[in-house]
Amino acid sequence: MNQPSRALSAASEYLHLNRAQWDERAPAHAASPGYSRQRFLDDPAFLSDVVRFDLPRLGDIRGLRAAHLQCHIGTDTLSLHRLGAAVTGLDFSGASLAEARALAAATGADIGYVEADVYDAPRVLEPGSFDLVYTGIGALCWLPDVRRWAGVVAALLKPGGRLFIREGHPMLWAVDETRPDGLLAIDQAYFEREDPLVWDEDGTYVETDTVFQSTTTHQWNHGLGEIVTAVMDAGLDLTMLREHDSAPWDALPGRTTADEHGEHRLTDRPWRLPQTYTLQARKR
C-alpha cells in the first residue's frame, strides 16, 4: 500500500468506494494464478491455500451449515463445500459473486450466494441457523465497527455454533510496508478509530496487467484485544487464538520469503512480527 492520503471525519462513502474497487478487481482476481481457478477446475480435491493452512484447526465440518462472510470470488467458499459443509457465501460485490457463481457452476458445486453488506447478513440469511460462520484473510479491515460485526456473527450462529476466522494481524496492518531500510516501523493505527484510513492505489494484490480506475478505498484496523472482546461481549466464548508468523501473501515486499505452501515470513528473524492469527469462538 501507499501511505494514506488523509483521514476523513465521516465514513458515509465507504461502501460506495470500496464496492467499486472490489467490483472492478474481481475479474482480474479470478484470472490471476494467485487464486488458482484452473486448479479448482482440474482437481476436484483441491483446496485454497487459506483453508488448507487451517485444516488441523478447522477440523471435520462435514454436514455443517456454514455461512462464509465477505466471500469475494468464492475460492475459500468452494473449499469449505469440498470439505463437506453446506455453505452459503455472502459478499457486497456483485461482480465478485458473479465470479464465485461461475466457479461453483464450472465445478458442479451446490453453493448459494447472497449479495449484501455484511452488516445486513442477519436480514438476508436465516438468523440462528448456522453451525459455522467463517471469515478469511483480509475481511475485517474493510469494516468500521468490529463490535457490530461480532453482533452479526452471534445473530447468525445457532447455540453452540462456531466462529472461525483467519485474518491479517492488526500488528501487521500497523507496520509501514514502504520503508526501504527494512526496519519494522509502526506508522498506522493499531486500534480501531472512527475515521478511516483513506488509500489511493491503482494496483491490487495479485499479478495482473489490468489498469484500474477505482483506486480510493476506506479501511480500518482493529486491535486484537478489541476483536476478542467484541466476540466475547456478543455472547461467544473464545476457544482458540493462535498467532502466526506468516501470511498467505507478500505483505512486506522485499522483506519476506515464501515457503512451499505460499506462506510468506520475514526473511530476517521472522519471530519478530505476527502476520496473521486464527481465532475460534463458540456461541453460548
Side-chain angles (χ1 to χ4, degrees):
M1 290 183 180
N2 301 319
Q3 292 298 309
S5 57
R6 59 192 176 95
L8 300 180
S9 60
S12 59
E13 292 187 90
Y14 88 92
L15 275 176
H16 170 75
L17 292 171
N18 292 353
R19 184 185 292 116
Q21 192 262 171
W22 286 108
D23 280 347
E24 189 176 21
R25 283 157 179 74
H29 289 180
S32 167
Y35 273 96
S36 304
R37 187 178 190 276
Q38 191 59 48
R39 294 192 67 183
F40 279 103
L41 298 177
D42 294 340
D43 181 359
F46 180 75
L47 303 175
S48 69
D49 291 341
V50 172
V51 171
R52 189 184 308 110
F53 177 89
D54 270 316
L55 280 178
R57 290 166 285 276
L58 185 60
D60 186 358
I61 61 171
R62 287 174 295 181
L64 298 187
R65 188 180 186 198
H68 180 191
L69 302 182
Q70 297 168 272
C71 66
H72 191 36
I73 63 171
T75 51
D76 292 345
T77 325
L78 176 57
S79 300
L80 297 175
H81 167 82
R82 287 181 168 182
L83 291 173
V87 61
T88 299
L90 180 141
D91 201 273
F92 74 160
S93 165
S96 295
L97 291 182
E99 299 293 347
R101 292 185 178 108
L103 178 61
T107 55
D110 182 14
I111 299 174
Y113 285 102
V114 177
E115 182 177 342
D117 175 35
V118 67
Y119 288 139
D120 291 331
R123 181 178 58 82
V124 297
L125 302 177
E126 184 181 354
S129 66
F130 291 94
D131 304 292
L132 174 69
V133 170
Y134 180 92
T135 298
I137 292 284
L140 295 188
C141 62
W142 302 98
L143 304 178
D145 187 342
V146 74
R147 295 184 69 86
R148 187 179 175 194
W149 165 83
V152 166
V153 171
L156 293 175
L157 286 172
K158 61 175 61 172
R162 176 170 52 130
L163 166 67
F164 190 101
I165 175 171
R166 186 186 182 203
E167 181 56 283
H169 200 288
M171 199 69 236
L172 174 64
W173 299 138
V175 168
D176 178 1
E177 65 190 55
T178 66
R179 286 184 69 103
D181 56 13
L183 292 178
L184 296 177
I186 306 304
D187 191 54
Q188 308 303 334
Y190 175 86
F191 297 106
E192 181 181 304
R193 304 188 68 212
E194 180 179 353
D195 294 341
L197 292 172
V198 182
W199 305 93
D200 191 355
E201 297 179 282
D202 57 6
T204 188
Y205 52 83
V206 299
E207 296 179 25
T208 180
D209 295 326
T210 305
V211 177
F212 300 108
Q213 303 302 314
S214 298
T215 62
T216 303
T217 59
H218 290 185
Q219 298 180 36
W220 292 262
N221 204 359
H222 313 284
L224 193 58
E226 293 173 326
I227 296 165
V228 169
T229 301
V231 167
M232 295 176 67
D233 286 351
L236 281 70
D237 292 321
L238 189 69
T239 59
M240 191 201 72
L241 177 61
R242 185 165 300 176
E243 297 171 293
H244 311 292
D245 65 0
S246 67
W249 82 102
D250 189 2
L252 299 168
R255 288 185 267 178
T256 70
T257 300
D259 65 18
E260 66 274 20
H261 305 296
E263 289 285 318
H264 292 256
R265 292 173 177 83
L266 287 174
T267 304
D268 177 24
R269 294 168 290 157
W271 51 86
R272 292 181 294 157
L273 179 69
Q275 294 200 51
T276 56
Y277 65 92
T278 303
L279 180 152
Q280 291 194 74
R282 195 169 295 278
K283 184 175 179 179
R284 295 176 204 132

